[in-house]
Amino acid sequence: MSELLPDDGQVIHFEDTGEGPPLLLVHGLGAPSAFFARTVAELSRDHRVITADLRGHGATPQGAEPLTVDRCAADLHALTEKLDVQGLTLLGWSLGATVAYRYLDRYGTARVRGLVSVEQSPYLLTEEGWEHAAFGALDAAGATEADRMLGAADRGVTAALVASFFAEGSTPPRELTDELTDAATRCASEAKRQLWQDVLRQDWRGRLPSLGLPVLFLHGARSRIYPSAVGHWLADAVPGSRLEVFEHSGHLPFLEEPEHFHRVIRAWVRR
């Protein structure tokens, strides 16, 4: 694992593996880059795969300043500059997709040729006329309860959150859920809470069409995190984008249907 020092001198841990077309994978809230371990092992056979732990996640400490989506995007920009990577496919999962949107909005597409947005809604809270909130109907009270759970240091709470990532009605292997729970417990509670509070303020519904590059949306048909047809809304909202639905997946299509996921990513990068 390598280290990066962005403009404020905070250490960011990243990995750069394999050779071929470059992919940068951005993980979700409370789910560090270790969640991508199997994906990296497979795609690095014929791609250059870059991962980084966001602040307060995995091997990267939180640092002193408040943690925001914008700060995470700035760290990704520092990483692409450090590695001088060109022709990059940017893949963001869950919160990582919102970080990817912000990266593109702030720094443009000079180094990026395509975006893959995995299991994310452009706006997480419910309101009249909007049916694609997190958990189907996240309101202010639900957001407060989620904030409380993210701040809990109890392994049982973390395990329950990890379990909710899998498809409704599925029984994932215990070995896998234990592995993911172990990784999730290495995330700082305050970092998770700060990012959660910031992502709730993000509204990308009117901004995604102007990102200016090809977009692939990947969504699980049995997701408990985003149980609505938000993928279809996104595909309709962003001209020229493509939607791939994983019929047997929840919030983790790269782990629940890995062969399908890898095939789709390879085809998208080759397009």
Side-chain angles (χ1 to χ4, degrees):
M1 183 169 282
S2 301
E3 294 183 354
L4 164 72
L5 295 174
D7 52 13
D8 65 345
Q10 171 66 48
V11 172
I12 306 295
H13 289 274
F14 71 92
E15 292 188 350
D16 186 356
T17 308
E19 296 182 359
L23 282 160
L24 173 55
L25 311 185
V26 190
H27 64 76
L29 178 63
S33 59
F35 273 58
F36 286 135
R38 290 167 172 77
T39 309
V40 172
E42 172 59 30
L43 290 178
S44 63
R45 293 169 51 197
D46 48 9
H47 294 76
R48 179 185 181 186
V49 183
I50 305 162
T51 58
D53 282 330
L54 302 178
R55 299 183 185 215
H57 289 67
T60 297
Q62 180 176 352
E65 67 176 84
L67 188 55
T68 63
V69 169
D70 193 67
R71 179 68 260 181
C72 293
D75 290 342
L76 291 188
H77 179 252
L79 180 58
T80 61
E81 293 283 305
K82 174 183 174 67
L83 299 177
D84 193 25
V85 62
Q86 303 286 343
L88 178 69
T89 297
L90 186 56
L91 185 154
W93 163 58
S94 197
L95 168 82
T98 304
V99 173
Y101 306 158
R102 181 59 180 137
Y103 171 97
L104 293 165
D105 182 62
R106 181 174 176 183
Y107 302 105
T109 60
R111 295 184 180 274
V112 185
R113 66 186 295 265
L115 169 67
V116 182
S117 174
V118 184
E119 270 285 300
Q120 182 63 325
S121 174
Y123 185 60
L124 271 60
L125 290 168
T126 190
E127 63 179 28
E128 186 176 357
W130 178 246
E131 59 185 28
H132 303 301
F135 314 112
L138 183 69
D139 58 11
T144 299
E145 175 61 16
D147 184 84
R148 184 194 66 78
M149 293 182 68
L150 289 168
D154 184 88
R155 180 182 171 85
V157 173
T158 301
L161 289 170
V162 168
S164 73
F165 291 169
F166 289 87
E168 182 72 46
S170 67
T171 306
R174 179 64 179 272
E175 179 183 357
L176 176 57
T177 57
D178 284 348
E179 175 188 321
L180 299 180
T181 301
D182 288 343
T185 59
R186 293 193 287 273
C187 299
S189 296
E190 189 58 25
K192 291 186 291 182
R193 293 184 65 245
Q194 289 177 5
L195 273 178
W196 172 248
Q197 291 160 13
D198 190 48
V199 77
L200 290 174
R201 294 188 284 266
Q202 306 281 322
D203 186 350
W204 291 89
R205 288 174 290 185
R207 299 160 70 186
L208 285 178
S210 63
L211 292 181
L213 80 174
V215 183
L216 171 65
F217 294 106
L218 306 183
H219 285 264
R222 295 163 58 191
S223 177
R224 287 182 272 185
I225 308 302
Y226 297 111
S228 72
V230 64
H232 292 279
W233 186 94
L234 287 163
D236 289 342
V238 180
S241 65
R242 181 188 155 200
L243 169 66
E244 184 80 14
V245 175
F246 291 73
E247 296 295 339
H248 306 291
S249 291
H251 196 49
L252 295 164
F254 51 92
L255 291 175
E256 296 174 278
E257 295 181 72
E259 292 182 3
H260 182 185
F261 186 88
H262 299 147
R263 183 169 62 252
V264 168
I265 296 303
R266 285 189 166 103
W268 179 253
V269 173
R270 285 197 307 267
R271 76 198 184 286

